Amino acid sequence: MRIVTPLGDFALDDSSRGLPLVLLHGFPLDRSMWRPITPLIRDGWRVIAPDLLGLGESAVRPAASIAEITDSVFAVLDAIGVHDRVVLGGLSMGGIVCFEAWRRYSSRIAALLLIDTRPNAETPEGRASRYESAAHIEREGPRIVADSMRGRLFAPSTSSAVQEEWFARIGVQPRVGAAACARALGDRADSWTTLETINVPTLVVVGDQDVITPPALANEMHAKIRGSQLAVIKDAGHMPPVEQPGSTASAINDFLAGLGE
Ligand code: MLT
């Protein structure tokens, strides 16, 4: 469905009934990456998965920031009448949006799901490389990001059909929006100190073969977030929801079942 907000028009999947579970996708992808697990999420939960600003079928702006992406997620929730606290989850860039959301919208967050993500800011070299990549995306399209992630995005055991499907999805993302997200990632704030302020139930999830945001990093995040849980998904790289939908959904379901107990 599409929704009009003061920050632009956004596309989202919304299963309509139950307690809100909001899932934010990675870069440069779109909400479709949650579809393999959505039907597996336990009854009683309403999965809301928007396309983030600049990606999928949502509004595109040539310049955007993680803060603006975060504001637009809450503008979407306002527009669909979700004013209660939500369980907020994000994969990689989606997790980076979760950190910003925790800094500015914590009163609207009941629990966090941090999936294959990282809390560090870029180094000056990392930022320069994001800006360079943004310029390449504008010239040649986001396919070049898919090419640069070959051999790193998925576990080697993930079927080539699955890998090619998602590389192809990266390739069709809007150029201007994907480039803006690359720059936003380059400019992102450090979130290590934010982790120590998290005081809602949190599940950290990581693929056991993720080489982009590896298990050691997930362990460090888990250690910093008081009372958090850690789920390591076997035979998954950076994209557990599409590589191992069954075990990823089951880790999320166990966590959801424990909320409110
Ligand atoms: C993602 O999945 O969002 C990306 O890997 C983020 C990144 O490039 O750091």
Side-chain angles (χ1 to χ4, degrees):
M1 78 190 244
R2 293 193 70 76
I3 195 94
V4 179
T5 84
L7 300 181
D9 275 22
F10 288 83
L12 70 154
D13 288 348
D14 180 359
S15 64
S16 297
R17 291 158 78 93
L19 299 167
L21 167 63
V22 180
L23 297 175
L24 309 179
H25 60 77
F27 165 83
L29 269 164
D30 59 32
R31 68 192 194 277
S32 63
M33 60 147 285
W34 299 111
R35 288 183 187 151
I37 65 163
T38 300
L40 309 176
I41 295 297
R42 57 189 298 124
D43 286 350
W45 290 87
R46 168 182 180 182
V47 177
I48 301 166
D51 279 343
L52 297 180
L53 179 66
L55 295 169
E57 299 169 309
S58 279
V60 165
R61 283 207 248 309
S65 60
I66 296 296
E68 200 185 350
I69 295 170
T70 308
D71 288 338
S72 62
V73 169
F74 286 88
V76 167
L77 294 178
D78 287 342
I80 59 172
V82 174
H83 304 293
D84 290 342
R85 295 201 308 159
V86 302
V87 175
L88 184 66
L91 182 138
S92 202
M93 182 177 78
I96 289 166
V97 174
C98 290
F99 300 138
E100 180 70 14
W102 178 255
R103 286 192 281 271
R104 296 195 298 117
Y105 292 91
S106 62
S107 63
R108 296 184 66 176
I109 299 175
L112 286 165
L113 273 174
L114 302 172
I115 308 175
D116 296 82
T117 190
R118 52 179 146 210
N120 58 292
E122 286 293 7
T123 58
E125 299 72 34
R127 181 173 182 274
S129 135
R130 294 280 188 183
Y131 270 67
E132 203 178 304
S133 156
H136 282 166
I137 294 170
E138 274 164 352
R139 276 199 308 274
E140 290 160 47
R143 179 99 220 156
I144 60 133
V145 182
D147 293 343
S148 73
M149 284 176 155
R150 275 184 189 278
R152 296 191 309 128
L153 189 57
F154 298 101
S157 57
T158 296
S159 74
S160 56
V162 167
Q163 298 201 24
E164 292 313 319
E165 177 186 349
W166 295 100
F167 285 135
R169 275 224 79 75
I170 289 175
V172 299
Q173 297 302 315
R175 285 184 187 207
V176 168
C181 287
R183 292 192 186 97
L185 284 168
D187 291 334
R188 71 183 185 266
D190 187 272
S191 295
W192 277 112
T193 53
T194 303
L195 301 186
E196 291 163 5
T197 69
I198 294 175
N199 61 1
V200 291
T202 299
L203 175 66
V204 178
V205 179
V206 68
D208 68 345
Q209 293 172 51
D210 186 348
V211 294
I212 297 178
T213 52
L217 180 61
N219 257 306
E220 276 183 73
M221 289 171 43
H222 166 50
K224 286 254 182 216
I225 305 173
R226 219 167 318 123
S228 62
Q229 300 170 41
L230 175 69
V232 179
I233 308 297
K234 198 168 171 312
D235 296 329
H238 191 57
M239 295 277 289
V242 307
E243 299 178 81
Q244 297 295 344
S247 44
T248 304
S250 128
I252 294 173
N253 284 337
D254 289 349
F255 175 69
L256 295 175
L259 294 178
E261 269 177 8

Coordinates of all heavy atoms in Angstrom, one line a residue, residues 161-234:
A161 N 20.4 -19.2 -6.6 CA 19.1 -18.6 -7.0 C 18.7 -17.5 -6.0 O 18.3 -16.4 -6.4 CB 18.0 -19.7 -7.1
V162 N 18.9 -17.8 -4.7 CA 18.5 -16.7 -3.7 C 19.5 -15.5 -3.9 O 19.0 -14.4 -3.9 CB 18.6 -17.3 -2.3 CG1 18.6 -16.2 -1.2 CG2 17.4 -18.3 -2.1
Q163 N 20.7 -15.8 -4.0 CA 21.7 -14.7 -4.1 C 21.4 -13.8 -5.3 O 21.3 -12.6 -5.2 CB 23.1 -15.3 -4.3 CG 23.6 -16.1 -3.1 CD 25.1 -16.2 -3.0 OE1 25.8 -15.4 -3.5 NE2 25.6 -17.2 -2.3
E164 N 21.1 -14.5 -6.5 CA 20.9 -13.7 -7.7 C 19.6 -12.9 -7.6 O 19.5 -11.8 -8.1 CB 20.9 -14.6 -8.9 CG 22.2 -15.2 -9.3 CD 23.4 -14.1 -9.3 OE1 23.2 -13.0 -9.8 OE2 24.5 -14.5 -8.8
E165 N 18.6 -13.5 -6.9 CA 17.3 -12.8 -6.8 C 17.5 -11.4 -6.0 O 17.0 -10.4 -6.4 CB 16.3 -13.6 -6.0 CG 15.0 -13.0 -5.7 CD 14.1 -13.8 -4.7 OE1 14.4 -15.0 -4.5 OE2 13.1 -13.2 -4.3
W166 N 18.3 -11.5 -5.0 CA 18.5 -10.2 -4.2 C 19.5 -9.3 -4.8 O 19.4 -8.1 -4.7 CB 18.8 -10.6 -2.7 CG 17.6 -11.3 -2.2 CD1 17.4 -12.7 -2.0 CD2 16.3 -10.7 -1.8 NE1 16.1 -12.9 -1.6 CE2 15.5 -11.7 -1.5 CE3 15.9 -9.4 -1.8 CZ2 14.1 -11.5 -1.1 CZ3 14.6 -9.1 -1.4 CH2 13.7 -10.2 -1.1
F167 N 20.5 -9.8 -5.5 CA 21.4 -8.9 -6.2 C 20.6 -8.2 -7.3 O 20.8 -7.0 -7.6 CB 22.6 -9.7 -6.9 CG 23.6 -10.1 -5.9 CD1 24.2 -11.4 -5.9 CD2 24.1 -9.2 -4.9 CE1 25.2 -11.8 -5.0 CE2 25.1 -9.6 -4.0 CZ 25.6 -10.9 -4.1
A168 N 19.7 -8.9 -7.9 CA 18.8 -8.2 -9.0 C 18.0 -7.1 -8.3 O 17.8 -6.1 -8.9 CB 18.0 -9.3 -9.7
R169 N 17.5 -7.4 -7.1 CA 16.6 -6.4 -6.5 C 17.5 -5.1 -6.1 O 17.0 -4.0 -6.2 CB 16.0 -6.9 -5.2 CG 14.8 -7.6 -5.4 CD 13.6 -7.4 -4.4 NE 12.9 -6.2 -4.6 CZ 11.9 -6.0 -5.5 NH1 11.7 -6.9 -6.5 NH2 11.3 -4.8 -5.6
I170 N 18.7 -5.4 -5.7 CA 19.6 -4.2 -5.5 C 19.7 -3.4 -6.8 O 19.6 -2.2 -6.8 CB 21.0 -4.7 -5.0 CG1 20.9 -5.2 -3.6 CG2 22.0 -3.5 -5.0 CD1 22.2 -5.8 -3.0
G171 N 19.8 -4.1 -7.9 CA 20.1 -3.4 -9.2 C 18.9 -2.6 -9.6 O 19.2 -1.6 -10.4
V172 N 17.7 -2.8 -9.1 CA 16.6 -2.0 -9.6 C 16.2 -0.8 -8.7 O 15.2 -0.2 -8.9 CB 15.3 -2.8 -9.9 CG1 15.7 -3.9 -11.0 CG2 14.8 -3.6 -8.7
Q173 N 17.0 -0.6 -7.6 CA 16.6 0.5 -6.7 C 16.9 1.8 -7.4 O 17.7 2.0 -8.3 CB 17.5 0.4 -5.4 CG 17.2 -0.9 -4.6 CD 15.8 -1.0 -4.2 OE1 15.1 -0.1 -3.8 NE2 15.2 -2.2 -4.4
P174 N 16.1 2.9 -7.0 CA 16.3 4.2 -7.6 C 17.7 4.7 -7.4 O 18.2 4.7 -6.2 CB 15.3 5.1 -6.9 CG 14.4 4.2 -6.1 CD 15.1 2.8 -5.9
R175 N 18.3 5.2 -8.5 CA 19.7 5.6 -8.4 C 19.9 6.8 -7.4 O 20.8 6.8 -6.5 CB 20.2 6.2 -9.7 CG 20.5 5.2 -10.7 CD 21.0 5.9 -11.9 NE 21.1 4.8 -12.9 CZ 21.9 4.8 -13.9 NH1 22.7 5.8 -14.2 NH2 22.0 3.8 -14.7
V176 N 19.1 7.8 -7.5 CA 19.3 9.0 -6.7 C 19.0 8.7 -5.2 O 19.8 9.2 -4.4 CB 18.3 10.1 -7.2 CG1 18.2 11.3 -6.3 CG2 18.7 10.6 -8.6
G177 N 18.0 7.9 -5.0 CA 17.7 7.5 -3.6 C 18.8 6.6 -3.0 O 19.2 6.8 -1.8
A178 N 19.3 5.7 -3.8 CA 20.4 4.8 -3.3 C 21.7 5.6 -3.0 O 22.3 5.4 -2.0 CB 20.6 3.6 -4.2
A179 N 21.9 6.5 -3.9 CA 23.1 7.4 -3.7 C 23.0 8.2 -2.4 O 23.9 8.3 -1.6 CB 23.4 8.3 -4.9
A180 N 21.8 8.7 -2.2 CA 21.6 9.6 -1.0 C 21.7 8.7 0.2 O 22.3 9.2 1.2 CB 20.2 10.2 -1.1
C181 N 21.3 7.5 0.2 CA 21.5 6.6 1.4 C 22.9 6.3 1.6 O 23.4 6.2 2.7 CB 20.7 5.3 1.2 SG 18.9 5.5 1.3
A182 N 23.7 6.1 0.5 CA 25.1 5.8 0.7 C 25.8 7.0 1.4 O 26.6 6.8 2.3 CB 25.8 5.6 -0.7
R183 N 25.4 8.2 1.0 CA 26.0 9.4 1.7 C 25.5 9.5 3.1 O 26.3 9.8 4.0 CB 25.6 10.7 0.9 CG 26.3 10.8 -0.4 CD 26.2 12.2 -1.0 NE 26.7 12.1 -2.4 CZ 25.9 12.0 -3.5 NH1 24.6 11.9 -3.4 NH2 26.5 11.9 -4.7
A184 N 24.2 9.1 3.3 CA 23.7 9.2 4.7 C 24.5 8.2 5.6 O 24.8 8.5 6.8 CB 22.2 8.8 4.7
L185 N 24.8 7.0 5.0 CA 25.6 6.0 5.8 C 27.0 6.6 6.1 O 27.5 6.3 7.2 CB 25.6 4.7 5.1 CG 24.4 3.8 5.1 CD1 24.4 2.7 4.1 CD2 24.1 3.3 6.5
G186 N 27.5 7.3 5.1 CA 28.9 7.9 5.3 C 28.9 8.9 6.4 O 29.9 9.0 7.2
D187 N 27.8 9.6 6.6 CA 27.7 10.7 7.6 C 27.1 10.2 8.9 O 26.9 11.0 9.8 CB 26.8 11.8 7.1 CG 27.5 12.5 5.9 OD1 28.7 12.5 5.8 OD2 26.7 13.1 5.1
R188 N 26.8 8.9 9.1 CA 26.1 8.5 10.3 C 26.9 8.7 11.6 O 28.1 8.7 11.6 CB 25.7 7.0 10.2 CG 26.9 6.1 10.3 CD 26.4 4.6 10.1 NE 27.5 3.7 10.3 CZ 28.3 3.2 9.4 NH1 28.2 3.6 8.1 NH2 29.3 2.3 9.7
A189 N 26.1 8.9 12.6 CA 26.7 9.1 14.0 C 27.2 7.8 14.6 O 26.7 6.7 14.2 CB 25.6 9.7 14.9
D190 N 28.1 8.0 15.5 CA 28.5 6.8 16.3 C 27.4 6.5 17.3 O 26.8 7.3 17.8 CB 29.8 7.1 17.0 CG 30.4 5.9 17.7 OD1 29.9 5.6 18.9 OD2 31.2 5.2 17.1
S191 N 27.2 5.2 17.4 CA 26.1 4.8 18.3 C 26.5 3.9 19.4 O 25.7 3.3 20.1 CB 25.0 4.0 17.5 OG 24.4 4.9 16.6
W192 N 27.9 3.7 19.6 CA 28.3 2.8 20.7 C 27.8 3.3 22.1 O 27.3 2.5 22.9 CB 29.8 2.7 20.7 CG 30.4 1.8 19.8 CD1 31.2 2.0 18.7 CD2 30.3 0.3 19.8 NE1 31.5 0.9 18.0 CE2 31.0 -0.2 18.7 CE3 29.6 -0.6 20.7 CZ2 31.1 -1.6 18.4 CZ3 29.7 -1.9 20.4 CH2 30.4 -2.4 19.3
T193 N 27.8 4.6 22.3 CA 27.4 5.1 23.6 C 25.8 5.0 23.7 O 25.3 4.8 24.8 CB 27.8 6.5 23.9 OG1 27.4 7.3 22.8 CG2 29.3 6.6 24.1
T194 N 25.2 5.0 22.6 CA 23.7 4.9 22.6 C 23.3 3.5 23.1 O 22.3 3.3 23.9 CB 23.2 5.0 21.2 OG1 23.6 6.3 20.7 CG2 21.6 4.9 21.1
L195 N 24.1 2.5 22.8 CA 23.8 1.1 23.3 C 23.6 1.0 24.8 O 22.8 0.3 25.3 CB 24.9 0.1 22.8 CG 25.2 0.0 21.3 CD1 26.2 -1.1 21.0 CD2 23.9 -0.2 20.5
E196 N 24.5 1.8 25.5 CA 24.4 1.7 26.9 C 23.2 2.3 27.5 O 22.9 2.1 28.7 CB 25.7 2.4 27.5 CG 26.9 1.6 27.2 CD 28.2 2.4 27.4 OE1 28.1 3.6 27.9 OE2 29.3 1.9 27.1
T197 N 22.5 3.1 26.7 CA 21.3 3.8 27.2 C 20.0 3.0 26.9 O 18.9 3.3 27.4 CB 21.1 5.2 26.6 OG1 20.8 5.0 25.2 CG2 22.3 6.0 26.7
I198 N 20.1 1.9 26.2 CA 18.9 1.1 25.8 C 18.4 0.4 27.0 O 19.2 -0.4 27.7 CB 19.3 0.1 24.6 CG1 19.6 0.9 23.4 CG2 18.1 -0.8 24.4 CD1 20.1 0.1 22.2
N199 N 17.2 0.6 27.4 CA 16.6 -0.1 28.5 C 15.3 -0.7 28.2 O 14.4 -0.8 29.1 CB 16.5 0.9 29.7 CG 15.5 2.1 29.3 OD1 15.0 2.1 28.2 ND2 15.4 3.0 30.2
V200 N 15.1 -1.2 27.0 CA 14.0 -2.0 26.6 C 14.5 -3.3 26.2 O 15.7 -3.5 25.8 CB 13.1 -1.3 25.5 CG1 12.4 -0.1 25.9 CG2 14.0 -1.1 24.2
P201 N 13.7 -4.4 26.2 CA 14.1 -5.7 25.7 C 14.7 -5.6 24.3 O 14.1 -5.0 23.4 CB 12.8 -6.5 25.7 CG 11.9 -5.9 26.7 CD 12.3 -4.4 26.6
T202 N 15.9 -6.2 24.1 CA 16.5 -6.1 22.8 C 17.1 -7.5 22.4 O 17.7 -8.2 23.2 CB 17.7 -5.1 22.9 OG1 17.2 -3.8 23.3 CG2 18.5 -5.0 21.6
L203 N 16.8 -7.8 21.2 CA 17.4 -9.0 20.6 C 18.4 -8.6 19.5 O 18.1 -7.9 18.6 CB 16.3 -9.9 20.0 CG 16.8 -11.2 19.2 CD1 17.4 -12.2 20.2 CD2 15.6 -11.8 18.5
V204 N 19.6 -9.1 19.7 CA 20.7 -8.9 18.7 C 20.7 -10.2 17.8 O 20.8 -11.3 18.4 CB 22.0 -8.6 19.3 CG1 23.1 -8.5 18.3 CG2 22.0 -7.4 20.2
V205 N 20.6 -10.1 16.5 CA 20.6 -11.3 15.7 C 21.8 -11.1 14.7 O 22.0 -10.0 14.2 CB 19.3 -11.3 14.8 CG1 19.3 -12.6 13.9 CG2 18.1 -11.4 15.8
V206 N 22.4 -12.3 14.4 CA 23.5 -12.2 13.4 C 23.7 -13.5 12.7 O 23.5 -14.6 13.3 CB 24.9 -11.8 14.1 CG1 25.4 -12.8 15.1 CG2 25.9 -11.4 13.1
G207 N 24.0 -13.5 11.4 CA 24.3 -14.7 10.7 C 25.7 -15.2 11.1 O 26.6 -14.4 11.2
D208 N 25.8 -16.5 11.3 CA 27.1 -17.0 11.8 C 28.2 -16.8 10.8 O 29.4 -16.9 11.1 CB 27.0 -18.5 12.2 CG 26.8 -19.5 11.1 OD1 26.4 -19.0 10.0 OD2 26.9 -20.7 11.3
Q209 N 27.8 -16.5 9.5 CA 28.9 -16.3 8.5 C 28.9 -14.9 7.9 O 29.3 -14.7 6.8 CB 28.7 -17.3 7.4 CG 29.0 -18.7 7.9 CD 28.7 -19.8 7.0 OE1 29.1 -19.8 5.8 NE2 27.9 -20.8 7.4
D210 N 28.3 -14.0 8.7 CA 28.3 -12.6 8.2 C 29.7 -12.0 8.3 O 30.3 -12.0 9.3 CB 27.3 -11.8 9.1 CG 27.1 -10.3 8.6 OD1 27.9 -9.9 7.7 OD2 26.2 -9.6 9.1
V211 N 30.2 -11.6 7.1 CA 31.5 -11.0 7.1 C 31.5 -9.5 7.0 O 32.5 -8.8 7.1 CB 32.4 -11.5 5.9 CG1 32.7 -13.0 6.1 CG2 31.8 -11.3 4.6
I212 N 30.2 -8.9 6.9 CA 30.1 -7.5 6.8 C 29.9 -6.9 8.2 O 30.6 -5.9 8.6 CB 28.9 -7.1 5.9 CG1 29.2 -7.6 4.4 CG2 28.6 -5.6 5.9 CD1 28.1 -7.3 3.4
T213 N 29.0 -7.5 9.0 CA 28.8 -7.1 10.4 C 28.9 -8.5 11.2 O 27.9 -9.1 11.5 CB 27.5 -6.4 10.6 OG1 26.4 -7.3 10.1 CG2 27.4 -5.1 10.0
P214 N 30.2 -8.9 11.5 CA 30.4 -10.3 11.9 C 29.9 -10.6 13.3 O 29.6 -9.7 14.1 CB 31.9 -10.4 11.9 CG 32.5 -9.1 11.5 CD 31.4 -8.1 11.3
P215 N 29.8 -11.9 13.7 CA 29.3 -12.3 15.0 C 30.1 -11.7 16.1 O 29.5 -11.4 17.2 CB 29.5 -13.8 15.0 CG 29.4 -14.2 13.5 CD 30.0 -13.1 12.7
A216 N 31.4 -11.4 16.0 CA 32.2 -10.8 17.1 C 31.6 -9.4 17.4 O 31.5 -9.0 18.6 CB 33.6 -10.7 16.7
L217 N 31.2 -8.7 16.4 CA 30.6 -7.4 16.6 C 29.3 -7.5 17.3 O 28.9 -6.7 18.2 CB 30.5 -6.7 15.2 CG 29.9 -5.3 15.2 CD1 30.8 -4.3 15.9 CD2 29.8 -4.8 13.7
A218 N 28.5 -8.5 16.8 CA 27.1 -8.7 17.5 C 27.3 -9.0 19.0 O 26.6 -8.5 19.8 CB 26.4 -9.8 16.8
N219 N 28.4 -9.8 19.3 CA 28.7 -10.1 20.7 C 29.0 -8.9 21.5 O 28.5 -8.7 22.6 CB 29.9 -11.1 20.7 CG 29.4 -12.5 21.0 OD1 28.7 -12.7 21.9 ND2 29.8 -13.4 20.1
E220 N 29.8 -8.0 20.9 CA 30.1 -6.7 21.6 C 28.9 -5.9 21.8 O 28.7 -5.3 22.9 CB 31.1 -5.9 20.7 CG 32.5 -6.3 20.8 CD 33.4 -5.4 20.0 OE1 33.6 -4.2 20.4 OE2 33.9 -5.8 18.9
M221 N 28.0 -5.8 20.8 CA 26.8 -5.1 21.0 C 25.9 -5.7 22.1 O 25.4 -5.0 23.0 CB 26.0 -5.0 19.7 CG 26.6 -4.2 18.7 SD 25.9 -4.3 17.0 CE 24.2 -4.3 17.4
H222 N 25.8 -7.0 22.1 CA 25.0 -7.7 23.1 C 25.6 -7.4 24.5 O 24.9 -7.2 25.4 CB 25.1 -9.2 22.7 CG 24.7 -10.2 23.8 ND1 23.5 -10.1 24.4 CD2 25.3 -11.3 24.2 CE1 23.4 -11.1 25.3 NE2 24.5 -11.8 25.2
A223 N 26.9 -7.4 24.6 CA 27.6 -7.1 25.9 C 27.3 -5.7 26.4 O 27.2 -5.5 27.6 CB 29.1 -7.3 25.8
K224 N 27.1 -4.8 25.5 CA 26.9 -3.4 25.9 C 25.4 -3.1 26.2 O 25.1 -2.1 26.9 CB 27.2 -2.4 24.7 CG 28.7 -2.3 24.5 CD 29.2 -0.9 24.9 CE 30.6 -0.8 24.6 NZ 31.4 -0.1 25.6
I225 N 24.5 -3.9 25.7 CA 23.1 -3.6 25.9 C 22.6 -4.4 27.0 O 22.4 -5.7 26.9 CB 22.2 -3.9 24.6 CG1 22.8 -3.1 23.4 CG2 20.8 -3.5 24.8 CD1 22.2 -3.4 22.1
R226 N 22.3 -3.8 28.1 CA 21.9 -4.5 29.4 C 20.7 -5.4 29.1 O 19.7 -5.0 28.6 CB 21.6 -3.4 30.4 CG 22.0 -3.8 31.8 CD 21.9 -2.6 32.7 NE 22.3 -1.3 32.1 CZ 21.6 -0.2 32.0 NH1 20.3 -0.2 32.4 NH2 22.0 0.9 31.4
G227 N 20.9 -6.6 29.5 CA 19.8 -7.6 29.5 C 19.4 -8.1 28.1 O 18.4 -8.7 27.9
S228 N 20.3 -7.7 27.1 CA 19.9 -8.1 25.7 C 20.1 -9.6 25.5 O 20.8 -10.3 26.3 CB 20.7 -7.3 24.7 OG 22.1 -7.6 24.9
Q229 N 19.4 -10.1 24.5 CA 19.6 -11.5 24.1 C 20.3 -11.5 22.7 O 20.3 -10.6 22.0 CB 18.2 -12.2 23.9 CG 17.4 -12.2 25.1 CD 16.0 -12.6 24.9 OE1 15.7 -13.5 24.1 NE2 15.0 -11.9 25.5
L230 N 21.0 -12.7 22.4 CA 21.7 -12.8 21.2 C 21.3 -14.1 20.5 O 21.2 -15.1 21.1 CB 23.2 -12.9 21.5 CG 24.1 -13.1 20.3 CD1 24.2 -11.9 19.3 CD2 25.6 -13.4 20.8
A231 N 21.0 -14.0 19.2 CA 20.6 -15.2 18.4 C 21.6 -15.2 17.2 O 21.7 -14.3 16.5 CB 19.2 -15.1 17.9
V232 N 22.3 -16.3 17.1 CA 23.2 -16.5 16.0 C 22.5 -17.5 15.0 O 22.2 -18.6 15.4 CB 24.6 -17.1 16.5 CG1 25.5 -17.3 15.3 CG2 25.2 -16.1 17.5
I233 N 22.3 -17.0 13.8 CA 21.6 -17.8 12.8 C 22.6 -18.7 12.0 O 23.5 -18.1 11.3 CB 20.8 -16.9 11.9 CG1 19.9 -16.0 12.7 CG2 19.9 -17.8 10.9 CD1 18.8 -16.7 13.6
K234 N 22.4 -20.0 12.0 CA 23.4 -20.9 11.4 C 23.2 -20.8 9.9 O 22.1 -20.7 9.4 CB 23.1 -22.3 11.9 CG 24.2 -23.3 11.7 CD 23.9 -24.5 12.5 CE 24.8 -25.7 12.1 NZ 25.0 -25.9 10.7

